[in-house]
Amino acid sequence: MSDPSYLALRVNPSEKEVKVLRGIPTMERNAGELISTKGSFSKDASVLVWVEMSLKDPDQEGELHRWFEEEHIDLLSKVPGWRRSRRYRLVDMDSHAPVNRFLGVHEFTTENGLDDSPEIQYARSTPWRAKVFLLLSSNTRRTLQPHYRFGAAPRDLLHLPSIEKVIDTHVPHDGYRLHYRLEGSVNGSSPVLIFCNGLNCDLHMWDAAIAPLKQRFPDFRFLRYDTRGYRSEGCDKPLNLSVVTQDIKALLDALLIPKVHALIGVSMGGLTTVAFASRYPDHLDRFVACDTHIVSGKANEAIWDTRVQFAKDHGMEALGKQSVERWFTPKSRDSPEWNKAISMVAAASAEGMESSVKVLHDYDETENMKSIRLPGLYVAGAEDGMCTGIMKESVATNATNAEFREIEGAGHLPMIENVVGFVDCVDGFLRA
C-alpha cells in the first residue's frame, strides 16, 4: 500500500469516486495484518460475520489470541454453514503501527446455524469466553451479505449511465481480447441466453433475432461474443472444439455466470453448442443447435482449404459474395440481410479464418451427442440443402431428450432470413 501507484489513487481520485464518496456519511480505512486463518475459500460462503474487538489493557493480547486459537475458532467451525475464519491485527494505514484493534472475519453459507443452532449457542456461552469479554473495551459485530461481486469482466447493467443498457467490451482471455456484448434485463440474477456465431460472422449476425427475443423475454439477459478467429487475435495456437468450448466457459466465468438458461449456435457455432453441451452440461439448462453437421464430411478439409485459398487470392469480400449464395435462398438476393452478411464476412480476418477452419477439418461428435441428457432443440432452415435432411436423420438416430424442427423460407441462417419463423420456433422451447 506504499506503492506510488496505490498512493496516486488516494491522492487523485476519479470523478466517479468523488461523487460516490460524497453520498457516504462516514468511511474508515483500515489495514490489517493476518494473525491466523482456518478453513478455505468457498464460493458458496456469501455471509460474513465481522467482529471487531479492542482491549482495555493491550498487554492482555496474548489471552485474547489463546482463547480464539485454542477454543473459539474450533467451536465456530462446528456451526452449520461455516467455511472459513480469518483474524487480523489492525494497524495504522500510514505507519503500520498496531492500534489495539482486532478483527475476525467468519464466512458462512446463506443457510447456516448462526441464529439458534446448539453449536453457536455453546460457542457463545463458555466460561473462557465470559472471562475474555471482561477484558474488552469494545466489541462490534456485524453480519454482512455481498452487494456486488466483481468479476474479470463488466456485467452490471443496472448502474450504467446510458439509457440503453448494453455492455459492449472485451475481456482478456488466453492471450487475446474476447469481445462480448451483454444486454437485456438489468437484474444481475436473471437468466441468460448466450449465442454462438457461424464462421466468418461476428456477434451482430444475431441483431435481427435479438430484438424480438428481448420483447418476448424481458426478464432475460442476452450475451453474444465474437468467436475466436473472426479476428486474427487468439489464433496463434491450433484451434479445435476443445479450445472454442473453453472460450465459452472462460467468458461465463469472467462474468460470474455459473449456468445459462440456453446456448444457441448456428453452423460452426451449432457444432460448438453441441460440443459445449456434452463437455460442460452443468453450465446450461438447454441448448439450440442450428444448421450444423455433427460429423465432418470426407471432403471437408479440401473444401475449406479451397475457400481459404480463395480468400487469400481474392479477398474476404469476394468470399462473402460467394458465401451468401450458399447461406440464403434466392428470394433474399440483394436484400439488406444479404448485403449485411457480405459486409460481415468482408470484415473478418483471413488469417483467423485459416485457423478457425481447422475446427471443421476432421471431427465426429456423434458419441458426445448421444451422451447429452439436457433438453435440446436442433433447427435447420428448410432450404439449407443437404444439411436439413442430414440433421433430421442424425437427431432421430443419436439424440436423447431432443427434437428437430425445420423453419420454412430459410436457408443456412434462419435467424437472419426468417426472423419471425426462427423466434417462433425457439420460443416455446425456451419457455419450457
Side-chain angles (χ1 to χ4, degrees):
M1 289 186 293
S2 59
D3 186 88
S5 60
Y6 177 76
L7 295 175
L9 293 176
R10 295 176 60 187
V11 176
N12 303 302
S14 67
E15 183 178 329
K16 184 174 183 179
E17 182 180 358
V18 172
K19 182 179 179 181
V20 170
L21 293 181
R22 282 186 190 138
I24 300 176
T26 60
M27 186 183 73
E28 183 179 356
R29 283 192 175 108
N30 292 300
E33 295 176 344
L34 182 66
I35 298 172
S36 66
T37 182
K38 180 175 181 176
S40 58
F41 169 77
S42 178
K43 289 183 178 180
D44 65 350
S46 58
V47 175
L48 299 182
V49 179
W50 180 287
V51 183
E52 187 176 317
M53 297 175 171
S54 296
L55 290 163
K56 296 175 184 176
D57 181 358
D59 290 340
Q60 295 294 331
E61 179 179 337
E63 182 66 11
L64 177 68
H65 295 330
R66 280 191 294 274
W67 169 66
F68 267 111
E69 301 303 324
E70 297 178 20
E71 179 186 90
H72 192 59
I73 299 297
D74 184 59
L75 294 179
L76 283 181
S77 69
K78 294 177 170 60
V79 176
W82 177 89
R83 292 293 182 265
R84 179 168 64 167
S85 289
R86 289 170 291 164
R87 297 183 57 239
Y88 298 89
R89 177 185 293 103
L90 299 186
V91 298
D92 183 85
M93 281 285 290
D94 297 315
S95 68
H96 295 273
V99 294
N100 185 31
R101 291 161 63 194
F102 305 91
L103 175 67
V105 181
H106 312 287
E107 303 171 24
F108 291 82
T109 59
T110 302
E111 300 294 328
N112 57 62
L114 284 172
D115 290 333
D116 55 6
S117 69
E119 293 85 357
I120 195 65
Q121 291 178 12
Y122 180 66
R124 292 172 178 169
S125 62
T126 68
W128 198 354
R129 180 181 186 272
K131 178 182 176 182
V132 167
F133 270 51
L134 292 175
L135 306 176
L136 302 179
S137 60
S138 68
N139 177 38
T140 304
R141 181 178 182 273
R142 299 182 179 93
T143 300
L144 309 173
Q145 293 188 342
H147 173 67
Y148 183 81
R149 182 182 168 200
F150 289 91
R155 70 183 191 284
D156 183 12
L157 294 169
L158 178 61
H159 295 99
L160 290 176
S162 59
I163 296 176
E164 185 183 16
K165 302 297 186 180
V166 175
I167 294 173
D168 194 319
T169 188
H170 302 81
V171 60
H173 163 62
D174 197 24
Y176 81 107
R177 297 177 305 159
L178 199 166
H179 176 215
Y180 71 94
R181 181 181 175 95
L182 180 67
E183 59 195 301
S185 170
V186 298
N187 183 344
S189 60
S190 58
V192 175
L193 299 180
I194 180 171
F195 299 81
C196 190
N197 317 327
L199 181 70
N200 291 332
C201 297
D202 66 5
L203 56 80
H204 291 291
M205 72 167 295
W206 301 96
D207 284 350
I210 292 291
L213 283 171
K214 287 171 69 174
Q215 291 180 344
R216 298 195 192 193
F217 297 90
D219 297 327
F220 277 57
R221 288 175 290 167
F222 299 83
L223 175 61
R224 294 179 269 169
Y225 72 101
D226 282 344
T227 310
R228 187 195 296 244
Y230 184 73
R231 296 175 177 83
S232 59
E233 289 184 279
C235 294
D236 54 348
K237 62 188 296 183
L239 299 189
N240 52 46
L241 284 172
S242 293
V243 173
V244 296
T245 54
Q246 286 168 9
D247 290 345
I248 299 176
K249 174 65 165 50
L251 178 58
L252 297 180
D253 288 346
L255 291 166
L256 301 184
I257 300 173
K259 176 182 281 191
V260 299
H261 182 70
L263 172 60
I264 304 173
V266 63
S267 194
M268 190 176 88
L271 173 64
T272 304
T273 294
V274 175
F276 187 87
S278 68
R279 290 161 171 79
Y280 301 99
D282 294 337
H283 293 278
L284 69 166
D285 289 329
R286 63 198 68 230
F287 67 93
V288 180
C290 308
D291 299 83
T292 193
H293 292 279
I294 303 302
V295 183
S296 59
K298 293 181 179 180
N300 259 34
E301 184 170 349
I303 291 172
W304 285 114
D305 286 348
T306 298
R307 291 172 184 170
V308 168
Q309 191 59 50
F310 181 87
K312 289 180 177 180
D313 294 341
H314 304 284
M316 292 300 290
E317 183 176 1
L319 180 68
K321 292 177 180 179
Q322 187 185 84
S323 299
V324 293
E325 298 286 351
R326 299 189 307 274
W327 291 352
F328 292 93
T329 61
K331 68 179 178 61
S332 295
R333 182 180 296 277
D334 296 325
S335 66
E337 295 76 20
W338 176 286
N339 292 323
K340 180 179 179 179
I342 294 174
S343 298
M344 194 160 44
V345 177
S349 162
E351 294 80 5
M353 176 191 175
E354 187 171 12
S355 295
S356 296
V357 297
K358 290 180 172 58
V359 176
L360 303 172
H361 275 182
D362 184 18
Y363 64 89
D364 187 345
E365 287 294 298
T366 303
E367 294 304 315
N368 287 332
M369 181 184 187
K370 290 179 179 179
S371 72
I372 298 172
R373 295 295 178 264
L374 296 168
L377 176 62
Y378 292 84
V379 173
E383 299 177 56
D384 192 12
M386 295 177 63
C387 181
T388 307
I390 293 173
M391 272 193 77
K392 183 175 183 179
E393 181 180 353
S394 180
V395 172
T397 305
N398 302 308
T400 302
N401 198 23
E403 61 177 307
F404 173 80
R405 296 178 187 172
E406 290 184 24
I407 298 177
E408 296 297 328
H412 193 60
L413 303 177
M415 65 291 304
I416 296 177
E417 193 168 19
N418 184 356
V419 177
V420 174
F422 174 78
V423 173
D424 286 344
C425 178
V426 302
D427 186 299
F429 176 75
L430 295 177
R431 295 181 190 276

